[in-house]
Amino acid sequence: MAMHQTQKESKICNTLSQLGSLKSYARNGNLDIREYLKIYLGADKKAALKDAAPKYIEEHYPKAYKQAYSLPEGYILNNREFNTQKKSSDIHLPQESVSMVFNALKDAFRHVPSLTIFEYAFTDTLLKGIDKKKRKEFIDNLKVPVEALESGDHDVFGIGIFGKDIVGIFFQIKATTSKSNQKTFLKRLEEATKQIKKDLTVFCTMCGEFLNGNVKLAGFAAFPMLSKSDLKKLMKSKDCTERILTSDDLRNEKSFQSFFNENKIELKEFDNPEPLVMQSFKDIFDLYICAASAVNIPRNPTDSPRRGELNA
């Protein structure tokens, strides 16, 4: 049994190594999803995304492409609140686990034109209104992978302009605690790697029109309720543990930045991007923002009663 787990661990680690390497990806299929989506304007009014996007962005995101935004806007749950709940209860807190990563990534992207999103469900956004007939058409005629049209979500995803590149980082989060055994942990880790693969598949399908060599992506598994020492007890591979985000990496901004440095991801601040880079970022930003127009979430700081400071 132990040998089986070791082989399984080795396979997962190889996958994590590939997913965590920042690189460009090829387009999946020939779909331009913007042609099939609507923008929801309220009062049962909606308009074609391609027609209404500029006005929608101007109204709700007046500083788009110049500063950082998030969906939802504002921090979800501050660290003090999370730590208080963690000490007072042994119950798994999956949403709060996701919140910790969202807050940290949003903070890391705050100095550049960017978008950080939290639990972005595909059926409510990129696939909203796409029926079975359309899905079959996409698969048969546009060579869209089946998995890109299935339900799921980006747990946490951030994309921004860093230097000459557009950098997109995916995190799939598990609320596993130190009480879990190795078998359970590896199962959750394997689930996370599969979800990261889907994140990339969905992005490269839905944003295929905007991909170029400057759009670079990476994905990581996150276990905010485990420490590095917990991880070492559950895994034999030291290289693999560097690919997994833990509570130690979320202690402060410096430790979070160190996680990226260990994975050879340098987040340089905004520096006059080339027109092609800016246009690609605009297209990606507009699609993700507009596709979520029907979702009831805070779109500015005053909308969120739970807004708090990351290190309060």
Side-chain angles (χ1 to χ4, degrees):
M1 187 66 164
M3 179 62 71
H4 173 71
Q5 289 181 345
T6 301
Q7 292 174 346
K8 183 175 183 179
E9 178 182 320
S10 177
K11 182 179 179 181
I12 294 172
C13 287
N14 287 337
T15 302
L16 284 175
S17 179
Q18 295 173 18
L19 296 173
S21 298
L22 189 67
K23 58 187 177 182
S24 302
Y25 281 81
R27 177 176 188 169
N28 288 329
N30 300 304
L31 174 67
D32 185 349
I33 193 64
R34 297 172 299 176
E35 296 179 1
Y36 304 91
L37 296 181
K38 304 288 185 181
I39 291 181
Y40 292 79
L41 306 172
D44 295 325
K45 294 182 180 180
K46 55 187 178 181
L49 187 149
K50 275 197 167 185
D51 296 333
K55 183 177 180 181
Y56 182 83
I57 295 296
E58 183 180 359
E59 179 180 353
H60 295 283
Y61 302 89
K63 296 183 180 180
Y65 330 127
K66 297 178 182 179
Q67 69 170 45
Y69 279 101
S70 66
L71 281 177
E73 185 57 41
Y75 297 111
I76 301 294
L77 181 68
N78 65 39
N79 284 352
R80 180 181 298 164
E81 290 170 338
F82 178 83
N83 290 333
T84 300
Q85 292 187 38
K86 185 177 178 182
K87 291 176 182 177
S88 64
S89 174
D90 290 330
I91 299 174
H92 287 198
L93 300 169
Q95 181 167 323
E96 284 73 8
S97 294
V98 180
S99 299
M100 290 180 72
V101 181
F102 170 80
N103 290 342
L105 189 61
K106 173 180 167 61
D107 215 43
F109 280 36
R110 73 184 184 277
H111 296 303
V112 301
S114 63
L115 176 65
T116 308
I117 60 179
F118 172 91
E119 294 186 338
Y120 194 91
F122 306 139
T123 53
D124 297 332
T125 55
L126 299 168
L127 298 176
K128 189 171 180 62
I130 306 300
D131 57 24
K132 290 183 179 180
K133 183 178 179 181
K134 282 296 181 186
R135 291 173 196 236
K136 188 176 186 305
E137 177 186 323
F138 294 164
I139 295 168
D140 294 344
N141 300 333
L142 300 177
K143 300 179 181 179
V144 172
V146 175
E147 57 269 29
L149 303 175
E150 296 172 343
S151 62
D153 71 313
H154 297 320
D155 273 359
V156 171
F157 171 49
I159 191 159
I161 301 177
F162 292 94
K164 296 180 180 179
D165 294 322
I166 298 170
V167 175
I169 306 292
F170 298 94
F171 284 103
Q172 284 291 339
I173 296 96
K174 299 299 175 184
T176 306
T177 71
S178 57
K179 295 181 180 180
S180 299
N181 58 34
Q182 186 188 45
K183 183 178 179 180
T184 298
F185 168 74
L186 289 178
K187 182 179 180 181
R188 297 292 174 263
L189 183 57
E190 187 174 34
E191 288 172 357
T193 59
K194 290 179 179 178
Q195 289 169 323
I196 296 164
K197 285 182 179 180
K198 180 166 184 174
D199 282 330
L200 292 165
T201 297
V202 169
F203 182 89
C204 293
T205 301
M206 302 302 169
C207 295
E209 287 278 308
F210 328 132
L211 292 186
N212 56 60
N214 297 104
V215 180
K216 297 181 178 178
L217 310 169
F220 299 95
F223 289 77
M225 300 187 76
L226 292 180
S227 66
K228 289 294 184 187
S229 60
D230 292 330
L231 205 56
K232 290 177 181 178
K233 295 175 183 177
L234 294 166
M235 302 194 73
K236 293 183 179 180
S237 172
K238 293 182 180 180
D239 292 337
C240 196
T241 58
E242 293 181 355
R243 302 284 187 183
I244 301 171
L245 191 80
T246 67
S247 60
D248 293 333
D249 301 309
L250 293 167
R251 285 179 308 200
N252 51 49
E253 185 175 354
K254 185 177 180 180
S255 60
F256 191 65
Q257 187 64 53
S258 294
F259 174 81
F260 287 120
N261 293 339
E262 288 173 358
N263 286 283
K264 300 179 180 179
I265 296 176
E266 189 175 0
L267 301 179
K268 297 180 181 179
E269 292 190 13
F270 175 60
D271 184 24
N272 298 322
E274 297 175 0
L276 176 63
V277 172
M278 178 55 78
Q279 186 59 54
S280 293
F281 176 73
K282 286 181 177 181
D283 289 335
I284 294 167
F285 181 95
D286 289 2
L287 174 59
Y288 269 88
I289 287 290
C290 293
S293 61
V295 180
N296 184 21
I297 55 174
R299 300 184 188 279
N300 60 71
T302 60
D303 285 345
S304 178
R306 300 179 68 190
R307 187 174 189 274
E309 294 300 325
L310 179 62
N311 294 314

